[in-house]
Amino acid sequence: MSAYPTSFGKDDLLKCARGELFGPGNAQLPAPPMLMMDRITDISADGGLHGKGHVVAEFDITPELWFFDCHFPGNPIMPGCLGLDGLWQLTGFNLGWRGWQGRGYALGVGEVKLTGMVRPDRKMLTYKVDFTKALQTRRLTMGVADGIVEADGEVIYVVKDMKVALSES
């Protein structure tokens, strides 16, 4: 059982970006504009499809978001890699939420399928991360998870075998 709440607002996420939520040298979210969520609505160490933990988060989409101006002028689309990064961010956040020590970094992903786009007329993305493995040994702290990104309720990204580790060095 985590010592942290099971939901987090924007102020909490910004504290995490500053290194204030899980403590110095531990899991940290990126600061805006690379922070790819506005709130975490649910998180666990034993829930989700596989009973090994999960995270659900939301990101409000507005036409003013920074990436719409540059990707692409006259044809604005959120880069798909930012949706993947949001899933990685949440995977690492879950490891820190468990109280596990170290700074997070992405190790890779097995499969990514992009079946839709995020344009400025979308209202909200929902990220859903389901852990298939979460392990902490003397030498390795790592989470492996599958994820989806929904835009206004429509599944647009499906990701398998994301890997995120925590390292104290």
Side-chain angles (χ1 to χ4, degrees):
M1 183 74 176
S2 176
Y4 299 100
T6 57
S7 63
F8 296 85
K10 187 69 172 252
D11 288 342
D12 298 316
L13 301 179
L14 294 173
K15 283 180 189 174
C16 186
R18 293 189 301 266
E20 299 168 1
L21 188 61
F22 302 128
N26 291 315
Q28 191 172 344
L29 289 168
M34 284 303 298
L35 179 63
M36 296 307 299
M37 74 230 38
D38 290 308
R39 68 202 138 271
I40 293 174
T41 59
D42 197 25
I43 187 169
S44 76
D46 58 3
L49 297 174
H50 309 285
K52 298 183 186 269
H54 82 290
V55 188
V56 179
E58 298 172 341
F59 184 40
D60 298 324
I61 302 299
T62 66
E64 295 78 31
L65 286 167
W66 66 274
F67 44 78
F68 287 134
D69 285 338
C70 57
H71 190 270
F72 298 94
N75 184 27
I77 301 168
M78 179 180 134
C81 60
L82 294 180
L84 174 60
D85 199 68
L87 291 168
W88 269 326
Q89 290 174 22
L90 291 163
T91 302
F93 185 93
N94 182 288
L95 299 178
W97 177 86
R98 292 170 190 248
W100 295 357
Q101 303 293 300
R103 295 185 185 273
Y105 58 96
L107 293 175
V109 63
E111 182 179 323
V112 178
K113 291 183 182 176
L114 308 177
T115 60
M117 293 183 274
V118 180
R119 295 192 177 275
D121 62 342
R122 297 285 196 167
K123 300 300 179 211
M124 187 173 63
L125 296 186
T126 303
Y127 298 98
K128 296 179 180 177
V129 174
D130 285 294
F131 281 76
T132 57
K133 185 184 294 184
L135 61 104
Q136 185 178 40
T137 67
R138 253 188 14 207
R139 297 179 44 168
L140 179 66
T141 299
M142 183 175 77
V144 181
D146 297 335
I148 64 169
V149 178
E150 297 175 350
D152 299 335
E154 172 193 351
V155 175
I156 59 165
Y157 305 162
V158 178
V159 176
K160 301 284 183 196
D161 294 325
M162 290 181 291
K163 294 174 183 72
V164 173
L166 298 181
S167 173
E168 294 191 43
S169 56

